[in-house]
Amino acid sequence: MSGRGTPEFQPDLSIAVTHLMKGVVYRDTHEVPWRHLLQLQSQVRDYVAVLGLVVFIDEAEGYAYLRGRPDDEAVDEVAVPRLVARRQLSLHVSVLLALLRKRLAEFDANSSDTRMVLTRQQIIDMLAVFLPDTSTDARLIDQIDAHIGKAVELGFLRRVNDGDGSYEVRRILKAFVDGQWLAELDARLGEYAAEFAGRDGKGTA
C-alpha cells in the first residue's frame, strides 16, 4: 500500500461538451461523461449557448442531449447556423415511435423496472397492423426491419446482445413524445391508419 488516497475527481468541461456533441449522453452507458456533465451543468449551458444550442438534462431518467435554439431566440439578433439538424421522419417511423412511446407509458404504469426490452417479433407485431395488407410477408418484414434500424440510428432503440434480437426502448423517447402528444395518441393512430388505408387504395406502400 502506498498510502495514497483516491485521486480527487476533477470535472472537465471538454469531456462533457465533446460527448454531448457526439450524441445523447446516457447515465447507464456513459458513466464518466455523465458525471462530468452533472458537475458542470451551468458551464455547459453557457458554452453551448454560444453555438446556438440548448442542453436538456433529465437526471431522473438518466439522459442528456443537445437541441437547437428556437429560431425566434436569436443571439444578439444574429442568426446562428444550425448545428443540430432537424430530422424529417417517414410516416412509418413516426408510427413506430408513437407505438413504442405508448408501450413505454404502459410499462412504466405497471412495472418498477427502468428498462423496457422488446423482442424483434413484438415490434414487428405492433407495426404490422399499420402496413398495407398487400405486402408479402418477406417484404413486410424487410420494411419493418428498416424502420427498426432507423429508430436505432436515431437513438430511440438500442440492440440488446441476448441472442434473441431484442431491443431496449431508450427513455429519451419521452423527451420527443411528450405527455400531451401521448394523450392524443389514439386519435393520431386512427389518422395514421386512415392515411395508410388511403395509400394502399392507391397502390402505394
Side-chain angles (χ1 to χ4, degrees):
M1 297 289 293
S2 62
R4 296 181 180 179
T6 302
E8 183 179 353
F9 173 72
Q10 296 293 333
D12 189 317
L13 181 62
S14 64
I15 292 177
V17 173
T18 298
H19 279 79
L20 277 171
M21 288 293 186
K22 292 179 178 179
V24 181
V25 173
Y26 292 103
R27 178 176 55 209
D28 59 351
T29 54
H30 307 100
E31 295 181 9
V32 174
W34 177 260
R35 189 179 178 190
H36 286 275
L37 177 59
L38 291 189
Q39 292 288 329
L40 299 171
Q41 291 188 44
S42 60
Q43 293 94 319
V44 170
R45 295 183 194 281
D46 291 342
Y47 186 93
V48 301
V50 177
L51 303 175
L53 301 173
V54 177
V55 60
F56 180 89
I57 303 173
D58 191 322
E59 294 189 45
E61 297 289 3
Y63 61 78
Y65 65 95
L66 294 175
R67 58 188 176 190
R69 184 187 301 277
D71 294 334
D72 58 354
E73 295 183 11
V75 179
D76 296 330
E77 299 183 355
V78 177
V80 179
R82 185 176 297 279
L83 295 180
V84 178
R86 290 176 176 170
R87 297 186 175 101
Q88 185 67 38
L89 301 180
S90 72
L91 181 59
H92 297 92
V93 173
S94 296
V95 172
L96 173 58
L97 297 184
L99 293 170
L100 290 173
R101 179 64 179 90
K102 182 178 181 180
R103 183 67 72 89
L104 184 59
E106 295 169 350
F107 176 83
D108 286 343
N110 297 289
S111 175
S112 60
D113 200 345
T114 58
R115 294 179 73 235
M116 185 179 82
V117 176
L118 298 175
T119 65
R120 172 174 170 268
Q121 188 59 51
Q122 286 177 308
I123 298 175
I124 289 173
D125 292 342
M126 281 196 310
L127 192 55
V129 178
F130 292 90
L131 293 177
D133 293 335
T134 54
S135 298
T136 64
D137 289 343
R139 184 184 176 201
L140 180 68
I141 299 303
D142 288 343
Q143 288 179 341
I144 295 178
D145 279 336
H147 303 324
I148 291 174
K150 186 63 177 180
V152 171
E153 176 187 332
L154 294 171
F156 297 120
L157 288 176
R158 182 176 68 173
R159 293 183 177 88
V160 177
N161 296 322
D162 60 357
D164 295 327
S166 300
Y167 295 86
E168 177 186 354
V169 180
R170 302 299 273 166
R171 291 190 166 272
I172 193 173
L173 183 59
K174 297 178 70 173
F176 287 85
V177 183
D178 59 22
Q180 180 178 352
W181 197 98
L182 186 62
E184 303 169 355
L185 182 56
D186 288 339
R188 292 179 184 273
L189 290 177
E191 294 173 359
Y192 286 142
E195 183 165 350
F196 284 133
R199 292 186 177 191
D200 191 23
K202 296 177 181 178
T204 58

